Amino acid sequence: MRFFLRRRMSPLKLALLGGTFFMVALVVLQRDVGSSTAGDPWFQELVDKKDKMIVMVREAVHNIGFQIGAPQPPPVQEHPTQDINCPTGFYTQSELKPHLERPPQDPAAPGADGKAFQKDKMTEEEKKEKEDGMTRHCFNQFASDRISLSRSLGDDTRPRECVERRFRRCPSLPTTSVIIVFHNEAWSTLLRTVYSVLHTSPAILLKEIILVDDASVAEHLKSQLEEFVRQLKIVRVVRQLERKGLITARLLGASIAQGEVLTFLDAHCECFHGWLEPLLARIVEEPTAVVSPEITTIDLNHFQFNKPVVTNRAYNRGNFDWGLTFGWEPIPEEAKKLRKDETYPVKTPTFAGGLFSISKKYFEHIGTYDDKMEIWGGENVEMSFRVWQCGGQLEIMPCSVVGHVFRTKSPHTFPKGTEVIIRNQVRLAEVWMDDYKNIFYRRNKNAQVMASEHKYGDISDRVNLRQRLQCKNFTWYLNTVYPEAFVPDLHPLKSGAIRNSGSQTCLDVGENNQGGKAVIMYQCHNMGGNQYFEYTSHKELRHNIGKQLCLQFMPQPESVKIELCQLKGKGTNLAPQQEWIFTEENLLKNPSSGKCLQLQGGNVQMNQCNAADLFQHWTFS
């Protein structure tokens, strides 16, 4: 008994022991009560209470937690009914078949498979035809006219992940209206663009092709064109009777478009395999994305299509300079690391603006185009700033490839002169660039005068749009979207033309100096341009109207040159040969060499510093 008491008992064992004693007591009580006389009412009441107690105890025992119950039967599996509006799986090739099958191709035909047009011997008549076509269109119309309107571009040579990519049925890919603006375009390039879209665009996605004529005068673009496209069913022609330019023409096309997405193309393009689906799929994923294809070249001389290479990766993105001109630059390494493969979009600070897709609803929400801009020029930079600052994003989809004939000059005239381009640029600067607009104005005196005299039209609608959409400022754009950009000083130490006291002429970069050429001296004209320089807080002498170019020290007897600035923004440093100090005697000294800038015999060179020599004296005017 002592052993029993000393053993420690768990609560569970105590509960079982207590329950056993209790049950024994109840059994004894039942036997005693059952053998007693039931005649007394009070005793009968006691019996009833005893019966109720036994029932309660039995129920309690049956519900003790350690009793193992039977498992629950599995629920009846209900097979979900498929939503016919949102089918599962991926589009099949048969579902994405093109609107128009390409006819059989002759591999020996001129320009077949995207190859160059070749013709070694030409008659005098053919030479004249080629020359006239080049004059009229600034590309080889002679070659284009001899290439099939339905020419194939050969095998699909995009990266493997692009070729093998599948597109989900739900949410479904949207329909698109392809809008092509033309003005006196060559018949063959315009119709090859149309056929290229028809041969490469899935019929279920291509709602229509809208050709917008910007008051062409060429006879072949009138009734002949309308009759020809009538057979193509989904192609139609609309016309502006007065030459108003690209911006107004695109707005006309967009206003009548029935597709969910607007796709804008130029009138001299060819679309590669699978170009449309990546653009539309990205808009499904991100409705505020404005997406461009990877634009490749169609050679203007022989119309060879520069096909993608399987192993190549996206290289370019859009930028702008402080003259508000669009350009291309390599994708930064940090941005490359964010992309797993070529199906991933490339974020771009600006876009070329000729070829892109945008949700029609978002196009209208974001303010379409500035309809008071005229003809052409600056609208792509304006839209780039606006999309980013107002919550959208610009992207390039490398799996979408479209060829474009890049001309070296425009064959078209500007009805109101090239001043319309400056006017368009001033409008975008006034609305979107805040104080940074002054960087542009310092580089373009005509723009500065136009802005100061308010000769750029009413911008109140665009200012109200910016306020209504709660768009971010231009500092945010530079810091967040384009941190790699070099931002010139808002208030440079000195700016203008650099005059030599000995000759009374000004430092000039010369014509078409993109870096690597010597500077010259020229009569001062105070119009900026080739004579515009800024003396920066980093002690550079920058000629940065377009490219970021700097005055660079060269040892004698070489002349001083203009070279690309080494200080380009984040992660770069000032080059010693591009550092200059203005001395109290108005000498321009390069600290690393200890020598000064001198005009000597018509050449700008470095020499030992001599404050008494007026040809070493330089002042900003």
Side-chain angles (χ1 to χ4, degrees):
M1 185 66 181
R2 286 180 61 188
F3 176 76
F4 177 78
L5 291 175
R6 285 178 182 175
R7 292 187 63 184
R8 299 183 63 182
M9 301 185 67
S10 68
L12 180 60
K13 290 181 178 180
L14 286 172
L16 290 173
L17 185 60
T20 303
F21 285 146
F22 184 58
M23 290 297 293
V24 171
L26 284 176
V27 171
V28 172
L29 179 61
Q30 182 179 17
R31 297 177 74 179
D32 289 343
V33 171
S35 61
S36 303
T37 305
D40 296 329
W42 67 270
F43 200 78
Q44 185 62 47
E45 184 180 353
L46 181 62
V47 171
D48 294 339
K49 289 181 179 181
K50 176 267 297 183
D51 291 339
K52 290 179 181 180
M53 180 62 71
I54 291 175
V55 171
M56 289 176 63
V57 170
R58 286 173 179 167
E59 289 178 352
V61 171
H62 289 161
N63 288 295
I64 289 176
F66 53 77
Q67 292 287 335
I68 299 175
Q72 294 292 321
V76 178
Q77 293 290 332
E78 295 184 4
H79 296 285
T81 58
Q82 182 170 304
D83 185 351
I84 60 173
N85 296 319
C86 192
T88 59
F90 300 88
Y91 286 102
T92 63
Q93 283 190 330
S94 62
E95 288 174 308
L96 296 178
K97 65 181 180 181
H99 180 86
L100 184 65
E101 293 291 345
R102 202 183 300 271
Q105 301 288 298
D106 178 1
D113 291 339
K115 297 186 181 72
F117 172 81
Q118 302 287 350
K119 188 173 178 64
D120 298 327
K121 295 182 179 180
M122 300 178 70
T123 66
E124 291 302 316
E125 291 78 8
E126 288 175 332
K127 290 179 181 178
K128 186 176 187 310
E129 181 185 345
K130 177 181 178 181
E131 183 179 334
D132 289 346
M134 289 292 289
T135 301
R136 192 163 44 245
H137 298 293
C138 296
F139 57 64
N140 189 353
Q141 181 188 354
F142 180 88
S144 177
D145 289 350
R146 284 155 178 79
I147 295 173
S148 168
L149 298 181
S150 295
R151 80 157 167 179
S152 168
L153 296 176
D155 296 334
D156 191 346
T157 55
R158 294 175 299 160
R160 181 177 176 180
E161 61 266 28
C162 295
V163 177
E164 296 179 351
R165 184 180 177 187
R166 298 191 297 168
F167 299 92
R168 293 190 178 277
R169 290 197 185 97
C170 184
S172 60
L173 295 178
T175 60
T176 188
S177 298
V178 176
I179 300 169
I180 303 169
V181 174
F182 65 93
H183 173 72
N184 289 337
E185 185 68 33
W187 176 270
S188 57
T189 48
L190 176 61
L191 269 298
R192 191 177 300 111
T193 302
V194 171
Y195 273 106
S196 178
V197 173
L198 294 172
H199 292 320
T200 56
S201 304
I204 61 172
L205 304 179
L206 182 61
K207 189 76 173 180
E208 60 193 341
I209 300 176
I210 302 173
L211 303 179
V212 185
D213 174 22
D214 185 25
S216 296
V217 296
E219 283 299 319
H220 65 269
L221 298 174
K222 297 182 180 179
S223 59
Q224 180 183 348
L225 177 63
E226 293 182 12
E227 291 171 8
F228 186 90
V229 300
R230 194 171 293 124
Q231 63 178 318
L232 301 176
K233 306 299 183 185
I234 65 169
V235 183
R236 56 174 167 158
V237 180
V238 295
R239 302 187 186 275
Q240 289 189 146
L241 300 181
E242 178 186 350
R243 177 88 191 280
K244 295 182 179 179
L246 175 74
I247 300 163
T248 307
R250 282 188 166 180
L251 287 173
L252 172 60
S255 69
I256 63 172
Q258 299 175 17
E260 300 164 88
V261 168
L262 307 175
T263 298
F264 296 99
L265 295 179
D266 282 345
H268 28 269
C269 293
E270 290 180 69
C271 305
F272 201 62
H273 301 270
W275 74 283
L276 184 58
E277 295 95 313
L279 301 177
L280 301 183
R282 180 56 183 155
I283 290 174
V284 171
E285 293 171 350
E286 181 47 73
T288 66
V290 181
V291 289
S292 299
E294 181 77 21
I295 305 173
T296 190
T297 57
I298 301 172
D299 191 277
L300 65 88
N301 292 304
H302 48 65
F303 277 74
Q304 179 173 341
F305 188 101
N306 185 28
K307 296 173 63 171
V309 178
V310 174
T311 56
N312 281 4
R313 294 297 176 259
Y315 180 77
N316 288 313
R317 68 174 189 175
N319 67 8
F320 75 97
D321 60 38
W322 291 99
L324 298 187
T325 301
F326 171 83
W328 299 102
E329 70 178 20
I331 301 169
E333 289 301 319
E334 290 183 9
K336 288 181 180 178
K337 294 175 183 177
L338 298 176
R339 301 181 61 249
K340 182 179 178 181
D341 57 41
E342 292 305 278
T343 64
Y344 283 63
V346 174
K347 306 289 185 185
T348 179
T350 64
F351 73 147
L355 290 61
F356 69 96
S357 293
I358 183 171
S359 158
K360 185 176 182 181
K361 288 183 179 178
Y362 187 62
F363 183 64
E364 293 166 351
H365 167 80
I366 205 72
T368 63
Y369 282 111
D370 179 352
D371 61 3
K372 293 184 177 62
M373 282 188 168
E374 297 180 340
I375 307 299
W376 172 87
E379 80 288 342
N380 59 324
V381 177
E382 188 275 342
M383 191 171 184
S384 298
F385 293 166
R386 173 162 45 93
V387 167
W388 277 115
Q389 288 175 240
C390 301
Q393 50 202 34
L394 294 176
E395 298 176 344
I396 298 170
M397 301 302 298
C399 285
S400 172
V401 179
V402 176
H404 180 267
V405 180
F406 286 94
R407 297 183 278 209
T408 55
K409 60 181 180 179
S410 173
H412 308 308
T413 58
F414 288 78
K416 298 182 181 180
T418 54
E419 283 289 302
V420 298
I421 299 177
I422 297 175
R423 182 180 179 276
N424 291 349
Q425 291 173 327
V426 172
R427 288 182 66 84
L428 80 88
E430 289 292 322
V431 175
W432 299 106
M433 294 182 68
D434 306 324
D435 288 344
Y436 294 92
K437 65 188 177 184
N438 294 313
I439 299 176
F440 165 58
Y441 292 150
R442 285 201 303 270
R443 285 153 181 73
N444 192 318
K445 296 297 181 182
N446 290 335
Q448 188 176 49
V449 171
M450 187 180 292
S452 65
E453 295 177 354
H454 299 282
K455 291 185 177 180
Y456 48 83
D458 182 12
I459 60 171
S460 58
D461 287 348
R462 308 307 285 179
V463 173
N464 291 338
L465 173 72
R466 176 174 171 172
Q467 293 173 346
R468 177 168 56 83
L469 296 180
Q470 299 180 339
C471 305
K472 295 182 172 64
N473 58 37
F474 202 66
T475 299
W476 174 89
Y477 171 86
L478 292 172
N479 291 339
T480 308
V481 177
Y482 198 13
E484 301 83 8
F486 177 82
V487 181
D489 296 334
L490 279 175
H491 305 288
L493 301 178
K494 301 174 186 290
S495 65
I498 302 177
R499 183 188 296 269
N500 181 266
S501 299
S503 67
Q504 293 300 307
T505 55
C506 285
L507 209 58
D508 195 301
V509 300
E511 292 298 323
N512 300 317
N513 191 345
Q514 300 298 308
K517 295 182 181 179
V519 292
I520 62 174
M521 300 303 297
Y522 199 78
Q523 181 180 354
C524 301
H525 51 61
N526 292 320
M527 291 301 295
N530 291 343
Q531 294 183 2
Y532 180 80
F533 287 87
E534 286 182 353
Y535 186 54
T536 74
S537 57
H538 298 284
K539 296 183 172 58
E540 305 154 296
L541 281 169
R542 282 187 176 253
H543 172 73
N544 52 2
I545 289 179
K547 286 187 176 182
Q548 300 296 322
L549 300 172
C550 284
L551 191 69
Q552 180 162 311
F553 159 85
M554 300 297 293
Q556 281 184 311
E558 292 187 61
S559 295
V560 171
K561 293 182 178 180
I562 284 288
E563 295 284 4
L564 289 173
C565 300
Q566 295 302 302
L567 182 62
K568 301 175 182 178
K570 187 171 66 174
T572 60
N573 299 296
L574 172 67
Q577 62 269 36
Q578 294 180 353
E579 182 180 7
W580 301 90
I581 293 176
F582 268 97
T583 71
E584 293 181 358
E585 298 89 358
N586 289 329
L587 304 182
L588 262 177
K589 183 177 181 180
N590 173 247
S592 65
S593 66
K595 295 185 178 181
C596 291
L597 194 69
Q598 179 180 13
L599 175 59
Q600 186 174 8
N603 296 321
V604 182
Q605 297 177 330
M606 303 302 296
N607 210 334
Q608 297 297 328
C609 299
N610 181 4
D613 187 350
L614 289 179
F615 289 93
Q616 287 193 16
H617 286 212
W618 306 87
T619 57
F620 270 93
S621 63

